C-alpha cells in the first residue's frame, strides 16, 4: 500500500513534467498514471512494472502529431493516437514479435536515450530560466542558452535552482530518496506562494479539474495520418519496457514474458486512450520508485493509479499552483540523471568498436536534429547494419586435424588455419562457423582451399552450426565449389548435416550431385558424424587418387 502511494505521488511532478515538455496539457500527463497504470499492472507478466508516460514516449508522441499537422493539445487527437498505439502493441504481442526488441543494439539505444535526455533538458530551459533558446536543433539551442545567460530571468532561475537544491538535499537522505522529487516540488512551490514570487504557474497554461478522467472520444478522421506514427511511438515504448523485466525480476520467481508485456501495454493504452491518457509504456523510473518504496506484488502499480486518481479528485486545484520553474528544475534533474545513468554505457560502447561508436553517435545526432519517428527508423536501420556487419565478420572456416592414435588412447581433433589448397589424394576437414548470411559468403568462398590439381582430394566440410534452412546463396556457393572440385577429380563431403538441411539438399538437387556418401547426417555424438565422414573420405581418396581429372568418381 505504501509503495503504491509513494509511486502515485511521484507521478504528479513527473507526469506533469513529461507532458509539459512535449507540449501536451499537463493534465494528460497526470491521467497517464491512472488508467494505464491500473490496467498495465493487472495484466503485466512483469508483475512490478508500472505502465505510464515516459519522457521518450511524450516527445515521440508530440513529434508524431506535429509531423502529421495535428494539435497535441486536442483531446481527440491524443485519444486516437493512444488507442492506435495500443492496437499496435496488441498486434505485436499477438504475433509474438517480442524478439524484435533484441535486434535494437545497445549502442543505438544508448545514443537514442542520451538524445532523448538532451531533448528533455532543452525542452524546459525556458521554464527554468525564462529565456527561450533559439536554433534549428537541440545542440544549437543548448549552446544558444548558455551564450545568453545574461538574459535569464532572475526569479525563474532562482526558483529552479532552489528546486534542484532541495531535491539534492532530500536525495542525500536515504529514506527520502524515493520521494525527493515530490519534496522538492512541495517545498519550492510553497516557498513561491509564501514569498509571492512572480513566476509562471501551471494554471497559466492549463486548468486541472478536480475530477476523475472522463471518457474521451478518439477523432477517427486522424487515423490515416497517424498509422506510421503509432508504430513509432509503440516501438519506443516497447523498447523502453523491454529493459524493465531484466532489471526487476518477479519476486515470486515466475518468469516474465516479453510478448505478454506487449499485450499488457496494449490493453493499458486502449483503455487509457479512452480516458484522457497520453500513450504509455513500461517505465523504468516509475518501476524503480515502486521497488525502492517496498513493492512486492502487482498491486503496488494498481494502488498507485487509484491513489493518484484520489489526489487529483481531492487536490486538483492545488496542482494548478505549481510554479513552472519548479517543474523546469525537476525536469532538469530528470534529464541530468538520465545522462549520468548512461555514462557507463557510453564508455562501454566507445571502448567496444568503432562501428558501435559510430552507430551510437549517429543515433544521438539524429535524435537531437530529426523528428523522433525518423530517428527511430534510422536507429533500427543502424541496428540491422551492425548485426549484419558483426554476423559477416564472425563467419569463418577452421581446419580440424586428426592426431595419430597413441598407446595411451585414440587421437583427437585439433584446430588449425585453413590450407591454401588441397593436395592430391589428401583429406582436409574444415568446420564452418556462421549463419549462412549472404554478406559473409564472399569471405567464406575466399577462405575455401583452391581446387587446382586436387586429384583424389576430399574436402570434408562440417556444417553442424549451419541453420536448418540456410540461405539460397549458401547453397549456390556449395554447388559451385563441389562442381569445381569434381572437375579436378576430387569431391566435397558435407557432414553434421541437420535433418531439415538434408531434405533441402535433396530437393535442390545438390545432394544428388554430391553423390553417395556426400552427405553425412548429424548424430547425437559430438564427433560421431565427423569420424564417420573422415573414415569414408580416406577410403575414397585412396581409391581415386590415380583417377584422371574430370571423370566421374
Amino acid at each position: 500500500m505504501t509503495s503504491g502511494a509513494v509511486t502515485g505521488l511521484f507521478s504528479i511532478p513527473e507526469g506533469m513534467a513529461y507532458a509539459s515538455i512535449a507540449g501536451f496539457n499537463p493534465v494528460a500527463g497526470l491521467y497517464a498514471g491512472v488508467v494505464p497504470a491500473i490496467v498495465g499492472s493487472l495484466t503485466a507478466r512483469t508483475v512490478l512494472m508500472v505502465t505510464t508516460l515516459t519522457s521518450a514516449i511524450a516527445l515521440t508522441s508530440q513529434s508524431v502529431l506535429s509531423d502529421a499537422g495535428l494539435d497535441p493539445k486536442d483531446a481527440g487527437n491524443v485519444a486516437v493516437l493512444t488507442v492506435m498505439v495500443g492496437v499496435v502493441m496488441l498486434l505485436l504481442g499477438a504475433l509474438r514479435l517480442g524478439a524484435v526488441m533484441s535486434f535494437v543494439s545497445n549502442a543505438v539505444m544508448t545514443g537514442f536515450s542520451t538524445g532523448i535526455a538532451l531533448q528533455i533538458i532543452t525542452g524546459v530551459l525556458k521554464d527554468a530560466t525564462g529565456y527561450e533558446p533559439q536554433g534549428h536543433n537541440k545542440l544549437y539551442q543548448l549552446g544558444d542558452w548558455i551564450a545568453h545567460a545574461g538574459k535569464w530571468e532572475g526569479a525563474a532561475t532562482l526558483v529552479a535552482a532552489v528546486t534542484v537544491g532541495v531535491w539534492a538535499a532530500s536525495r542525500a537522505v536515504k529514506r527520502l530518496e524515493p520521494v525527493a522529487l515530490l519534496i522538492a516540488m512541495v517545498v519550492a512551490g510553497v516557498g513561491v506562494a509564501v514569498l509571492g514570487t512572480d513566476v509562471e504557474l501551471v494554471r497559466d497554461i492549463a486548468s486541472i479539474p478536480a475530477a476523475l478522467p472522463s471518457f474521451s472520444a478518439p477523432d477517427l478522421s486522424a487515423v490515416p495520418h497517424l498509422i506510421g506514427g503509432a508504430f513509432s511511438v509503440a516501438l519506443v515504448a516497447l523498447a523502453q519496457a523491454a529493459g524493465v523485466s531484466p532489471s526487476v525480476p518477479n519476486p515470486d520467481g515466475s518468469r516474465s514474458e516479453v510478448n505478454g508485456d506487449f499485450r499488457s501495454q496494449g490493453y493499458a493504452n486502449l483503455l487509457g486512450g479512452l480516458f484522457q491518457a497520453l500513450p504509455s509504456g513500461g517505465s523504468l523510473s516509475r518501476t524503480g520508485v515502486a521497488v525502492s518504496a517496498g513493492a512486492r506484488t502487482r498491486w503496488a502499480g494498481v494502488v498507485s493509479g487509484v491513489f493518484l486518481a484520489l489526489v487529483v479528485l481531492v487536490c486538483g486545484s492545488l496542482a494548478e499552483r505549481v510554479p513552472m520553474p519548479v517543474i523546469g528544475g525537476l525536469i532538469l534533474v530528470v534529464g541530468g540523471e538520465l545522462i549520468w545513468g548512461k555514462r557507463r554505457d557510453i564508455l562501454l560502447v566507445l571502448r567496444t568498436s568503432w562501428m558501435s561508436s559510430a552507430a551510437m553517435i549517429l543515433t544521438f545526432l539524429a535524435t537531437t536534429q530529426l523528428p523522433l519517428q525518423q530517428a527511430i527508423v534510422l536507429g533500427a536501420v543502424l541496428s540491422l547494419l551492425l548485426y549484419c556487419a558483426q554476423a559477416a565478420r564472425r563467419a569463418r572456416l577452421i581446419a580440424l586435424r586428426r592426431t595419430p592414435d597413441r598407446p595411451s588412447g585414440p587421437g583427437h581433433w585439433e584446430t588449425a588455419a585453413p590450407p591454401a589448397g588441397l593436395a592430391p589424394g589428401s583429406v582436409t576437414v574444415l568446420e564452418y562457423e556462421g549463419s549462412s548470411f549472404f554478406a559473409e559468403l564472399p569471405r567464406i568462398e575466399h577462405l575455401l582451399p583452391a581446387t587446382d590439381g586436387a586429384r583424389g582430394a576430399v574436402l570434408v566440410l562440417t556444417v553442424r552450426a549451419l541453420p536448418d534452412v540456410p540461405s539460397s546463396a549458401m547453397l549456390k556457393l556449395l554447388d559451385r565449389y563441389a562442381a569445381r572440385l569434381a572437375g579436378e577429380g576430387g569431391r566435397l563431403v558435407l557432414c553434421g548435416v541437420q535433418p531439415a538441411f538434408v531434405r533441402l539438399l535433396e530437393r535442390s538437387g545438390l545432394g544428388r550431385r554430391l553423390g553417395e556418401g556426400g552427405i553425412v547426417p548429424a548424430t547425437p555424438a559430438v564427433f560421431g558424424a565427423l569420424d564417420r565422414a573422415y573414415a569414408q573420405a580416406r577410403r575414397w581418396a585412396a581409391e581415386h587418387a590415380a583417377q584422371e581429372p574430370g571423370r566421374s568418381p
Side-chain angles (χ1 to χ4, degrees), residues 192-217:
V192 168
V194 171
L195 298 175
T197 308
D198 185 19
V199 293
E200 187 177 40
L201 305 179
V202 168
R203 68 186 177 196
D204 295 327
I205 60 173
S207 61
I208 300 179
L212 297 176
S214 58
F215 178 78
S216 179

Side-chain angles (χ1 to χ4, degrees), residues 236-284:
V236 170
L238 295 175
Q240 288 191 304
V244 174
S245 55
S247 305
V248 188
N250 293 340
D252 60 1
S254 61
R255 295 184 62 181
S256 300
E257 201 250 317
V258 175
N259 293 303
D261 286 339
F262 276 22
R263 294 190 294 272
S264 169
Q265 293 168 83
Y267 299 138
N269 280 284
L270 273 177
L271 289 177
L274 299 177
F275 291 93
Q276 298 180 272
L278 285 165
S280 304
S283 170
L284 186 57

